Amino acid sequence: MAHSRTARRRRWTAAIGLTGVAALALSACVQSNRGEESGSGKVGGTLTFGAAGAPKGFDPFYATDGETFRVSRQMYEGLVGFKPGTAEVEAALATKWEPSTDGRTWTFTLKENVKFHDGTPFNAEAVCFNFNRWFNQKGAGQSEAVSQYWLDNFGGFADTPDKPSLFKSCAAKDPKTAVVELTKATSQFPSVLGFPSFSMSSPEALKKYEADNVVQVGESITYPPYANEHPTGTGPFKFSKFDKANNVVEIVRNEDYHGTKAKLDKVVFRIIPDETARKQALKAGDIDGYDLPNAADWAGLKSDGFDVKVRPAFNVLYLGINQLNNPKLQDLRVRQALMYAINREQLVKSQLPEGATVASQFMPPLVDGYDDKLTPVKFDTERAKSLLAEAGASDLTLKFYWPTEVTRPYMPSPKDLYGAIAGDLEKAGIKLEPTSKPWNGGYLTDVDQGVPDLFMLGWTGDNGTPQNWIGTFFGRTDNRFNTGKSPWGKELADKLAAANAEPDEVKRSALYKELNKKIVEEYLPAVPISHSPPALVFKKEIQGVTPSPLTDERFGSATKG
Amino acid sequence: MLRYTIRRLIQLVGVVLVLSLLLFAWLRALPGGPVSALLGERSTPESREALTKLLGLDQPIIVQYFKFLGRAASGDFGTSLGVQQGDSAMEIFLQRFPATIELSALAIVIAIALGIPLGYLAAKRRGGWFDNVSVAGSLIGVAVPVFFLAYVLKDVLSSVLGLPTEGRQDAINATRVTGFFVFDGVITGEWDAALNALEHLILPAIALSTIPFAVVFRITRAAVLDVLDEDFVRTAESKGLTAPVIRRRHVLRNAMLPVVTTIGLQTGALLAGAVLTEKVFSFAGVGQALAIGFERRDYPVLLVLIIMATVVYVVVNLLVDLSYALIDPRIRTR
């Protein structure tokens, strides 16, 4: 196949040469090496993955986007990881961990004989060096665009007393024991340490390549050599190069890996921003796989012999309700009417990929604190109408915004989803003033500024802690729903904070379950719609990649051929 | 000639200044912005405020503009906020410009190599089947959207010809010297790399060449028709000059002036086509960066790319004007 493809290309290349491009004549005598680059069998070979965007450097601490995390995940490891295919925390560079009774002191026992890619040892000193590095960011390193994950999960820095930090200190008790002190208990620990952002880097490399030298000049932020050219972790792959002119990132097997060595010689990430182009590149054999194939293409890709790997759904789509501009929306009955009016069962069946489910609450079943006794209310237009009448809102008119030029894992086709939801709401007698705007061209800005009454949005989780879900949505009152407009807004935020600070896991889970029920039955700040499973697609010859709800696919276990 | 050239270059500086101001204002007037693009679903009132301040977007536009000018004077055009975060916007342009030049050059070569001879033949056989078919073909060439044609080319031609569908080159170890991949391969003796880059160019170049081909064809045809009716052609024929001599010395030379103008204008206009073509073929050129830049509201990159594209466009047109003088001696004496 490869040979005939090459031969055909030769012929045509020569033919096109007749258009006057003399250089094409080279094709007659030069042997291209396309189609021969990968070895066969279970060991060796190159996996070429179609990435949707360019990574923002290779220092995961400064990463904020999925494409950067994807590459970092192959080169770095954290103290904890996630069991393949789940959101469950498992040992990684730490073999075990022990919290104190108040949940503020965590003792990590580290794996021994682990080396960073530069040959320096991984030990408790290195762990504390990393924690202290994160905590002591300065200047631009503290900005939201740079250290977003630290700000979201740990709060402030060493020199921001007005903004307290979750992190207090780290001590190396002995080479294989690191003790991390927190300022308060949190449900997020230790699973937050499984985020790529909190992976372990070589202290030597961090110093040598000035990892913290993030500079802001005017509106510009530039990153140091560590992030651009010298990422140094402990993972099964090492950084090789980023050929920016060709939009290709290459990582190679780490021969000194402390665990089971990677089977592949290399992983190449080709940056192909256009989704249709990724699909065509896969079909043409130019890449071996890509992420987030459009749900409408799954069946076609399967019938073409590709392996569509469906991830467990780890997201939620909701109909956002903003109470800011329309006082009627502050009435629970009106918000309940919206929920009864939408035929979520039908919407999931007709608009979402196989495996999608109706959301009974604002988190999927994989998240701790999920209440499996909650069932979604049944679609009932008449009930919606009577609730509106009771609330004196039969003449309700709402500004309903939906986004264009975007697909999200929880929202594969915004236009179709909008159509289904809007149709149902109109049947219940609600008048809508629809507005569509490009995702980055006004939609998000308007939603953030509280312009629409109703909007479509969602969330893909970082981990399996409820704080990452309902804590993110409703943990403050100036959120996208303006829950501060309702008397229960602050109460909900306080209850979420209390649940998050509960060190006892069993009690904490119970508190969150209770809150999930309250949110849907008593507060209803928005209407949870669905959980959709996103997918990755690979050629059949690629084996050993386990689809992860956290998009935590590691290629160390992958084989080709 | 020299004074004329200098005057045109001074005009260019004025054009760039006015353009940069208009562009600056226009980009910031667009709905959305880099803040929401960077934060996405994760944004909070605090993070939006902090990032807006960090990027200096909280200041009046005119202040932002003069700060930009001040930094630009020292060669700092800002860093990318979306195309390749953290890289200098000018670096992105310099990295991607050779890609677009390679692609555009091949597209123009295809357009000229096919457009001029076919235009000439169609004019010579006015009203015949060849003329009618090629005129209809050129109409389709103008009418079919580039991205549609690009997808079709990829689906149909890539499987038939086995040509690569995306990127500038396979992930091979190639030495980078000038950023022009084909040229780099030739000068370093890495023929495989040169050929591989060339293969990657073929499909996007065909897609990109359709509009300039159609335009060159139609202008050539019209110009040749005009010239064929001229008295001096009849005189040449009656003097018994051979057809090749008449074609070369009298018909084509006289018909070329509007064609050269068209080629110049089309070369500038190629950038518009390159945006779509490069997007579809994931070709890391200026066009693709523009497409991603708009999607993510990457102000610094958009500014640099559009300003630099304007500079290139104006310079190309200046070269076209100067080449008139070489083709038509009457212009030189004016």
Side-chain angles (χ1 to χ4, degrees):
Chain A
M1 163 74 201
H3 171 74
S4 67
R5 188 182 156 113
T6 308
R8 257 203 325 259
R9 184 176 332 118
R10 292 268 143 279
R11 246 190 347 261
W12 279 99
T13 306
I16 288 170
L18 294 175
T19 60
V21 189
L24 288 188
L26 290 170
S27 64
C29 53
V30 179
Q31 190 60 34
S32 158
N33 60 5
R34 271 176 73 78
E36 300 163 13
E37 66 260 341
S38 64
S40 57
K42 289 284 180 200
V43 175
T46 299
L47 166 65
T48 305
F49 193 85
K56 174 189 146 186
F58 304 99
D59 181 346
F61 181 67
Y62 296 140
T64 50
D65 66 286
E67 293 306 334
T68 306
F69 289 140
R70 191 195 313 281
V71 182
S72 291
R73 275 191 174 102
Q74 318 307 330
M75 301 190 286
Y76 289 93
E77 292 165 313
L79 291 180
V80 308
F82 298 104
K83 206 166 159 187
T86 73
E88 256 175 78
V89 173
E90 68 167 6
L93 290 176
T95 53
K96 57 179 204 253
W97 46 90
E98 198 60 54
S100 59
T101 45
D102 64 359
R104 293 184 185 192
T105 306
W106 290 76
T107 304
F108 292 91
T109 305
L110 309 179
K111 191 171 181 183
E112 293 180 87
N113 303 317
V114 176
K115 284 196 164 30
F116 288 105
H117 297 158
D118 59 359
T120 57
F122 164 76
N123 51 29
E125 295 268 332
V127 170
C128 290
F129 189 96
N130 276 275
F131 269 100
N132 288 321
R133 176 212 168 194
W134 303 331
F135 185 50
N136 286 288
Q137 289 292 307
K138 300 268 186 292
Q142 295 184 356
S143 105
E144 189 71 39
V146 176
S147 305
Q148 192 182 8
Y149 272 73
W150 177 269
L151 287 160
D152 284 358
N153 296 289
F154 284 88
F157 298 90
D159 61 359
T160 57
D162 54 321
K163 194 173 180 174
S165 176
L166 173 65
F167 175 78
K168 189 174 176 189
S169 67
C170 177
K173 221 164 101 181
D174 59 54
K176 59 172 205 159
T177 314
V179 181
V180 176
E181 291 265 356
L182 304 177
T183 53
K184 59 181 185 196
T186 172
S187 64
Q188 297 256 80
F189 229 69
S191 78
V192 69
L193 300 177
F195 289 1
S197 298
F198 307 121
S199 304
M200 293 290 135
S201 284
S202 153
E204 286 309 310
L206 289 171
K207 284 184 279 195
K208 188 173 171 186
Y209 300 112
E210 304 168 320
D212 297 341
N213 192 17
V214 182
V215 180
Q216 188 189 348
V217 184
E219 293 106 56
S220 308
I221 297 168
T222 57
Y223 292 89
Y226 180 82
N228 288 326
E229 291 146 28
H230 302 282
T232 313
T234 58
F237 290 99
K238 296 194 292 191
F239 181 71
S240 166
K241 64 176 180 196
F242 182 8
D243 183 352
K244 286 179 181 172
N246 197 24
N247 260 347
V248 166
V249 177
E250 190 181 88
I251 56 177
V252 296
R253 179 172 47 224
N254 171 15
E255 299 294 355
D256 302 320
Y257 185 56
H258 57 88
T260 308
K261 286 189 187 45
K263 306 277 193 305
L264 298 161
D265 295 332
K266 262 195 255 183
V267 179
V268 166
F269 298 91
R270 290 202 73 105
I271 298 154
I272 307 175
D274 187 72
E275 202 265 330
T276 311
R278 288 197 292 280
K279 185 174 70 181
Q280 289 182 309
L282 180 75
K283 287 183 173 176
D286 293 337
I287 58 174
D288 297 317
Y290 69 94
D291 198 357
L292 298 177
N294 190 321
D297 294 330
W298 291 7
L301 286 164
K302 280 182 197 166
S303 67
D304 286 343
F306 294 106
D307 184 9
V308 177
K309 291 179 184 288
V310 181
R311 296 183 176 111
F314 204 62
N315 54 41
V316 64
L317 164 72
Y318 56 76
L319 173 71
I321 304 169
N322 189 337
Q323 302 177 36
L324 186 67
N325 304 318
N326 195 325
K328 285 184 175 161
L329 290 172
Q330 288 163 27
D331 188 323
L332 174 65
R333 289 166 302 183
V334 173
R335 299 196 300 278
Q336 283 174 329
L338 294 172
M339 181 162 63
Y340 279 105
I342 302 168
N343 189 343
R344 293 178 287 176
E345 289 270 348
Q346 181 57 32
L347 179 138
V348 163
K349 263 188 227 148
S350 62
Q351 305 293 345
L352 295 173
E354 201 183 324
T357 52
V358 172
S360 60
Q361 52 211 289
F362 288 89
M363 55 168 68
L366 288 168
V367 181
D368 177 43
Y370 178 84
D371 184 352
D372 48 14
K373 291 190 182 63
L374 269 180
T375 49
V377 300
K378 284 269 170 280
F379 161 65
D380 188 341
T381 305
E382 291 314 310
R383 176 114 176 80
K385 283 179 180 169
S386 65
L387 278 164
L388 288 171
E390 266 175 55
S394 296
D395 58 343
L396 191 63
T397 302
L398 297 173
K399 281 187 279 184
F400 189 175
Y401 274 51
W402 58 278
T404 60
E405 296 176 30
V406 69
T407 59
R408 304 305 269 178
Y410 53 81
M411 187 165 59
S413 174
K415 186 181 178 192
D416 296 337
L417 287 165
Y418 165 80
I421 295 169
D424 287 344
L425 294 178
E426 281 167 343
K427 277 181 207 146
I430 299 165
K431 289 182 203 64
L432 298 174
E433 293 171 1
T435 302
S436 64
K437 288 194 173 189
W439 180 254
N440 286 332
Y443 180 76
L444 286 173
T445 315
D446 283 356
V447 166
D448 285 337
Q449 289 172 352
V451 179
D453 300 319
L454 301 180
F455 57 93
M456 286 165 32
L457 210 64
W459 182 256
T460 297
D462 299 304
N463 63 22
T465 67
Q467 182 60 19
N468 185 245
W469 294 79
I470 47 179
T472 304
F473 307 151
F474 314 121
R476 47 194 303 160
T477 52
D478 57 351
N479 48 37
R480 287 187 169 117
F481 320 97
N482 276 291
T483 50
K485 284 275 167 194
S486 281
W488 48 264
K490 181 153 181 356
E491 180 187 309
L492 172 58
D494 291 346
K495 282 183 172 157
L496 282 163
N500 184 41
E502 172 56 56
D504 183 290
E505 269 183 58
V506 178
K507 279 188 195 159
R508 190 170 65 219
S509 248
L511 285 173
Y512 276 116
K513 261 187 197 169
E514 198 182 307
L515 274 173
N516 271 322
K517 192 172 159 64
K518 264 181 159 350
I519 287 169
V520 178
E521 291 178 357
E522 295 174 34
Y523 303 143
L524 202 67
V527 180
I529 305 267
S530 55
H531 309 296
S532 300
L536 307 100
V537 60
F538 285 100
K539 282 181 188 165
K540 276 274 195 292
E541 61 185 314
I542 304 294
Q543 295 292 320
V545 179
T546 309
S548 153
L550 307 169
T551 66
D552 188 37
E553 288 87 19
R554 309 258 169 175
F555 295 151
S557 55
T559 60
K560 183 174 182 174
Chain B
M1 193 80 146
L2 183 66
R3 272 176 51 197
Y4 170 73
T5 309
I6 290 169
R7 196 172 69 234
R8 287 285 299 264
L9 289 174
I10 291 168
Q11 272 173 0
L12 172 63
V13 175
V15 165
V16 165
L17 276 175
V18 172
L19 176 81
S20 65
L21 177 61
L22 292 174
L23 202 56
F24 212 87
W26 176 69
L27 284 176
R28 277 152 182 75
L30 284 177
V35 172
S36 52
L38 282 167
L39 296 175
E41 290 102 332
R42 311 188 73 86
S43 85
T44 60
E46 279 158 20
S47 65
R48 284 195 298 278
E49 193 186 339
L51 194 52
T52 304
K53 209 166 161 211
L54 178 85
L55 299 177
L57 299 170
D58 54 337
Q59 297 165 351
I61 286 181
I62 200 73
V63 173
Q64 290 182 50
Y65 177 68
F66 280 111
K67 280 189 168 176
F68 160 78
L69 270 191
R71 284 197 307 274
S74 62
D76 171 18
F77 291 87
T79 56
S80 166
L81 301 170
V83 175
Q84 180 60 64
Q85 277 189 62
D87 281 14
S88 105
M90 188 48 104
E91 198 180 302
I92 289 173
F93 170 76
L94 294 173
Q95 225 161 43
R96 288 169 170 264
F97 186 60
T100 302
I101 292 289
E102 266 185 342
L103 180 61
S104 306
L106 188 53
I108 276 290
V109 166
I110 293 171
I112 294 170
L114 295 176
I116 293 178
L118 291 179
Y120 177 82
L121 283 176
K124 282 290 281 183
R125 298 167 191 187
R126 185 184 341 189
W129 69 266
F130 178 80
D131 185 28
N132 292 334
V133 168
S134 47
V135 168
S138 73
L139 270 176
I140 293 169
V142 174
V144 172
V146 168
F147 68 90
F148 172 76
L149 181 79
Y151 282 130
V152 170
L153 277 176
K154 283 171 76 174
D155 260 346
V156 178
L157 277 190
S158 91
S159 54
V160 174
L161 312 183
L163 288 165
T165 56
E166 50 78 37
R168 291 186 64 192
Q169 199 171 48
D170 285 344
I172 50 180
N173 285 323
T175 314
R176 305 267 180 258
V177 185
T178 61
F180 293 89
F181 285 11
V182 179
F183 185 66
D184 285 354
V186 172
I187 60 172
T188 55
E190 293 171 351
W191 299 104
D192 267 12
L195 178 64
N196 186 280
L198 200 51
E199 285 167 351
H200 280 79
L201 277 170
I202 292 169
L203 290 184
I206 292 174
L208 189 56
S209 69
T210 49
I211 290 176
F213 156 72
V215 174
V216 169
F217 165 84
R218 293 170 69 83
I219 298 287
T220 305
R221 181 179 171 275
V224 170
L225 282 178
D226 282 350
V227 175
L228 286 176
D229 285 341
E230 294 279 358
D231 290 345
F232 62 80
V233 175
R234 270 194 292 279
T235 309
E237 282 167 350
S238 61
K239 281 198 308 192
L241 290 179
T242 59
V245 173
I246 296 172
R247 188 170 60 227
R248 204 174 46 244
R249 260 197 228 156
H250 297 283
V251 179
L252 277 176
R253 186 154 183 177
N254 280 294
M256 275 305 98
L257 212 53
V259 175
V260 170
T261 309
T262 303
I263 291 169
L265 290 169
Q266 283 300 312
T267 305
L270 274 180
L271 189 61
V275 172
L276 293 170
T277 309
E278 290 181 1
K279 185 174 188 286
V280 173
F281 286 96
S282 311
F283 197 83
V286 171
Q288 189 199 42
L290 271 172
I292 300 170
F294 268 111
E295 229 166 75
R296 305 195 186 156
R297 297 290 190 266
D298 191 342
Y299 294 159
V301 166
L302 289 173
L303 266 169
V304 168
L305 295 187
I306 295 172
I307 289 171
M308 292 310 290
T310 308
V311 170
V312 171
Y313 185 80
V314 172
V315 169
V316 167
N317 276 292
L318 174 60
L319 292 175
V320 169
D321 289 353
L322 294 175
S323 70
Y324 277 10
L326 300 175
I327 294 173
D328 187 347
R330 284 173 305 178
I331 293 178
R332 254 174 289 177
T333 55
R334 273 176 210 164

